[in-house]
Amino acid sequence: MEALTTRAKEVSRKPMSFAESLYIPNILKGMFITFGHMFKKQPTIRYPEQKREFSPVFRGLHVLNRDEQGRERCTACGLCAVACPAEAITMEAAERLEGEENLYREEKYAARYEINMLRCIFCGLCEEACPKDAIYLSETFAPANYSRKGFIYSKEDLVIPNPLTDPEGYAKAKGAPRAINN
Amino acid sequence: MSDIPLFKVTIDNISIEVPAGTTVLNAARMIGGEVAPPAMCYYSKLEGSGGKCRTCLVEVSKGSEKDPRPMPKLVASCRTTVMDGMEVKNITSAKVVDARASIVEFLLLNHPLDCPICDQAGECHLQDLSYEHGKEGTRYEFQRRTFKKHDLGKYIQLHMTRCILCYRCVFTADQLTKKRAHGILDRGDHSEIATFIEKNLDSDFIGNVIDVCPVGALTDKTFRFKNRVWFLKPMDAHRDCPTCSGKVTLWNRGDEVFRVTARKDQWGEVEDWICNDCRFEKKKTSDWVIEGPRLIDRHSVIAQGHYAGTVGMHKPTETFSAVHHGRQPKLLMDIHSVSEVNQADIDLSIIAGPAHSNNFNSNKD
Ligand code: SF4
Ligand code: SF4
Ligand code: SF4
Ligand code: FES
């Protein structure tokens, strides 16, 4: 039969010699290799104390953005939901009442907005579709959870902290400003 | 019909014989496809409509057999009748294509960029027109015109800023209801559709102005903001209506009727006028006899996620328990127990107007 690869080695079925059957030299050889790795550069990092730098195009957990005056930008236009290949986004719209102008930017807003993170594939198409700059994929992972219920993100989980009342939370959710090389 | 002579007309190198008195636009529609110029104001079911928007401009390169001179300017095809031997250029004429792009720019001068909020989005003729014939950018740098808000009753929502002054609604009100109560006030840039005798708006057929409006200026208040049209399921349905034909299209989400409209043909014109009762009051599936899914042009965003034929009319048979000797599938999570969207106790379809924060908050625990 023709060999599938040139690197194939035939298994030797010879009975072991006395020196081999002692094992100790081979064990020492193995331990020496392990010991030698202590002086090499570590490829791993100590997560979560240490974190890797995100790539500028990292697509993590979604945030629903607010404008400079702290009003929600999303107007429930449904374009993110129609663009979503995983059908992860659902919403229900409502009309802004008088007196709610400081909460919502437009006449119509999303009263309910939900992303099912079990379905989401973090492709970022929702971000691309949004005409209102309302949805962004941030630099955060979706945290692990013991139950499936924890992956249904409602508006409370998604809307970014108000930049006027909670500027720190807002800056944190927005992520560090990054240099985009282009 | 035999005493009406047939005229031969050639549009974009396709010849057709039509009875004298036919407009160029209708002759082109008989050929169909891309040859038919877009029309924003002409409506075949409304007498006297057309001639307002100029989107249907075509070039007449040969006037007729007897007088073969070309017409000096582009003409509105909805208002020009054919002549024997006439030769017309629509999409084959660079002049027409260019002029149409300019017309779109004019129509959009004062039109707000409202599509994300507008209920007409997805079935708006102006959206289609600008997508197909318009240019990307705008050169307009001034304040767009604004209007004082008018309340057109509890059924109809008017957004005057979106109006393109096509006059279709005025003709509809005039010809269908016999007692027109709204018209166009003022002139030029200040013209607006307004009620001057507001109480007359509750005529039985006034709801049809919603369907004829090519843009989102007149929309259905009972459907306002409830969903986007492309998430709904259009179905042909009918009922025994004493006032109108009762033939409608239902726009459902699940079993909830979100909206009722007239059926529209391939030119976006209604097939039968329907009455207010059918349109605004019959918001239960049990009010209707459902015929089947409405065929939607596959280029429309509404067609996304929809299937033609009988798909979706029957519940598929569950095979899981059959092949597992009667064992039911184990549900790891029922989405409705977690999700806040589409809750059973909030029936959006039967709320009279658009939902407000109190509709949602009152049910919060
Ligand atoms: S990232 Fe992609 S899959 Fe996830 S919600 Fe957005 S569009 Fe859908
Ligand atoms: S997030 Fe953007 S695309 Fe999605 S509904 Fe809101 S405004 Fe529309
Ligand atoms: S409201 Fe609509 S139908 Fe009436 S003139 Fe304006 S655009 Fe035309
Ligand atoms: S359709 Fe002919 S001018 Fe409007």
Side-chain angles (χ1 to χ4, degrees):
Chain A
M1 205 180 80
E2 210 178 311
L4 289 174
T5 156
T6 52
R7 288 187 296 170
K9 256 190 195 169
E10 207 171 309
V11 179
S12 148
R13 304 225 182 264
K14 280 192 306 205
M16 279 190 280
S17 68
F18 174 71
E20 275 168 343
S21 69
L22 275 181
Y23 290 113
I24 298 198
N26 276 332
I27 285 174
L28 284 177
K29 198 169 140 198
M31 285 175 91
F32 191 73
I33 291 174
T34 312
F35 187 72
H37 273 285
M38 283 214 222
F39 305 103
K40 290 210 175 123
K41 193 175 166 272
Q42 288 178 356
T44 53
I45 57 159
R46 279 167 176 72
Y47 186 83
E49 291 85 34
Q50 249 176 317
K51 281 182 186 148
R52 270 197 208 293
E53 214 177 289
F54 283 106
S55 128
V57 291
F58 184 82
R59 300 188 300 262
L61 211 58
H62 311 67
V63 288
L64 280 177
N65 212 359
R66 292 179 191 267
D67 65 2
E68 319 75 50
Q69 297 168 40
R71 300 173 299 184
E72 286 172 23
R73 298 190 79 108
C74 174
T75 156
C77 71
L79 289 186
C80 50
V82 77
C84 178
E87 302 196 348
I89 304 178
T90 44
M91 72 194 70
E92 266 164 1
E95 188 180 50
R96 184 177 68 186
L97 286 175
E98 235 159 275
E100 294 179 334
E101 283 86 357
N102 56 333
L103 297 178
Y104 311 110
R105 197 180 157 88
E106 309 275 352
E107 186 181 5
K108 179 174 95 163
Y109 66 93
R112 296 279 160 79
Y113 189 98
E114 223 165 70
I115 302 184
N116 184 341
M117 295 296 173
L118 292 170
R119 300 197 73 140
C120 177
I121 55 170
F122 299 97
C123 61
L125 289 187
C126 44
E127 178 177 339
E128 243 173 81
C130 183
K132 293 283 173 189
D133 268 358
I135 191 161
Y136 278 99
L137 272 63
S138 66
E139 294 183 347
T140 346
F141 299 108
N145 205 311
Y146 285 112
S147 77
R148 277 157 218 263
K149 288 189 168 56
F151 287 104
I152 314 295
Y153 279 59
S154 65
K155 245 180 89 176
E156 286 89 82
D157 311 310
L158 294 167
V159 177
I160 203 166
N162 192 328
L164 298 183
T165 57
D166 182 9
E168 280 155 45
Y170 176 77
K172 193 168 160 249
K174 227 172 86 178
R178 52 200 182 191
I180 294 174
N181 321 308
N182 48 8
Chain B
M1 291 294 272
S2 55
D3 46 347
I4 299 177
L6 283 181
F7 282 174
K8 185 170 166 244
V9 45
T10 309
I11 306 171
D12 281 347
N13 302 324
I14 304 172
S15 298
I16 186 170
E17 291 207 333
V18 294
T22 313
T23 59
V24 174
L25 183 85
N26 276 330
R29 283 189 178 184
M30 287 176 202
I31 299 171
E34 290 211 320
V35 173
M40 295 295 287
C41 66
Y42 172 75
Y43 210 75
S44 62
K45 287 162 190 87
L46 295 173
E47 226 171 283
S49 63
K52 311 281 190 301
C53 70
R54 307 272 132 186
T55 41
C56 63
L57 288 182
V58 290
E59 183 184 344
V60 176
S61 49
K62 179 181 164 195
S64 69
E65 211 55 74
K66 293 195 189 105
D67 180 7
R69 282 175 305 166
M71 291 197 185
K73 285 198 276 185
L74 302 182
V75 296
S77 62
C78 65
R79 280 303 185 94
T80 313
T81 48
V82 294
M83 291 288 157
D84 199 21
M86 189 185 243
E87 273 172 31
V88 179
K89 281 184 181 170
N90 178 20
I91 44 172
T92 48
S93 154
K95 242 164 69 188
V96 169
V97 173
D98 187 46
R100 205 163 277 156
S102 311
I103 297 288
V104 174
E105 203 173 345
F106 269 122
L107 286 179
L108 291 177
L109 270 194
N110 275 309
H111 196 85
L113 254 179
D114 251 0
C115 306
I117 303 166
C118 180
D119 278 330
Q120 187 87 358
E123 48 182 21
C124 174
H125 290 293
L126 188 57
Q127 227 178 8
D128 295 344
L129 186 77
S130 41
Y131 191 74
E132 281 160 26
H133 303 280
K135 299 196 180 92
E136 235 173 68
T138 174
R139 289 179 282 172
Y140 194 64
E141 291 168 353
F142 309 98
Q143 277 276 292
R144 283 164 200 246
R145 92 204 137 139
T146 48
F147 294 90
K148 221 170 77 227
K149 277 220 164 144
H150 278 280
D151 189 12
L152 292 196
K154 64 172 179 161
Y155 290 140
I156 302 171
Q157 178 78 38
L158 169 68
H159 279 272
M160 194 49 219
T161 45
R162 297 178 189 155
C163 173
I164 57 161
L165 293 172
C166 70
Y167 285 65
R168 279 182 185 178
C169 57
V170 179
F171 285 116
T172 312
D174 215 11
Q175 291 166 25
L176 240 55
T177 66
K178 306 284 180 241
K179 44 172 187 180
R180 169 152 68 98
H182 76 304
I184 294 185
L185 287 183
D186 291 345
R187 291 202 271 169
D189 204 25
H190 301 290
S191 339
E192 65 176 303
I193 305 274
T195 10
F196 31 106
I197 318 164
E198 260 175 29
K199 62 181 194 304
N200 276 21
L201 262 174
D202 46 46
S203 147
D204 253 353
F205 280 88
I206 194 71
N208 286 299
V209 296
I210 295 169
D211 279 342
V212 299
C213 184
V215 293
L218 293 165
T219 47
D220 187 338
K221 222 181 226 174
T222 64
F223 173 63
R224 188 164 162 79
F225 296 166
K226 289 198 181 156
N227 214 324
R228 316 270 26 214
V229 285
W230 55 85
F231 294 130
L232 298 177
K233 189 166 60 172
M235 288 187 299
D236 280 344
H238 62 84
R239 71 180 265 267
D240 256 337
C241 178
T243 348
C244 67
S245 67
K247 288 190 191 137
V248 301
T249 305
L250 297 186
W251 299 78
N252 275 22
R253 181 169 84 171
D255 286 330
E256 285 174 68
V257 179
F258 267 60
R259 183 172 73 146
V260 184
T261 63
R263 298 183 190 174
K264 301 208 181 156
D265 63 13
Q266 60 164 321
W267 310 114
E269 298 184 357
V270 303
E271 288 172 6
D272 285 297
W273 305 111
I274 61 168
C275 66
N276 284 2
D277 204 29
C278 289
R279 184 188 300 270
F280 300 120
E281 302 295 348
K282 303 289 171 213
K283 294 288 181 81
K284 274 194 248 113
T285 316
S286 54
D287 294 331
W288 299 95
V289 184
I290 292 178
E291 293 161 25
R294 174 102 193 138
L295 218 58
I296 300 285
D297 183 72
R298 74 183 172 85
H299 299 292
S300 162
V301 63
I302 302 174
Q304 73 84 30
H306 292 306
Y307 300 94
T310 54
V311 185
M313 288 300 288
H314 316 284
K315 274 227 157 79
T317 44
E318 290 291 346
T319 46
F320 186 91
S321 57
V323 300
H324 282 87
H325 310 291
R327 186 159 64 83
Q328 289 303 317
K330 186 178 163 202
L331 269 186
L332 291 170
M333 183 181 78
D334 177 14
I335 186 79
H336 297 293
S337 68
V338 198
S339 175
E340 289 187 340
V341 177
N342 198 8
Q343 281 181 354
D345 51 348
I346 304 176
D347 225 345
L348 278 185
S349 64
I350 53 172
I351 299 175
H356 294 107
S357 45
N358 45 9
N359 293 101
F360 290 101
N361 293 341
S362 62
N363 294 72
K364 255 205 184 133
D365 31 286

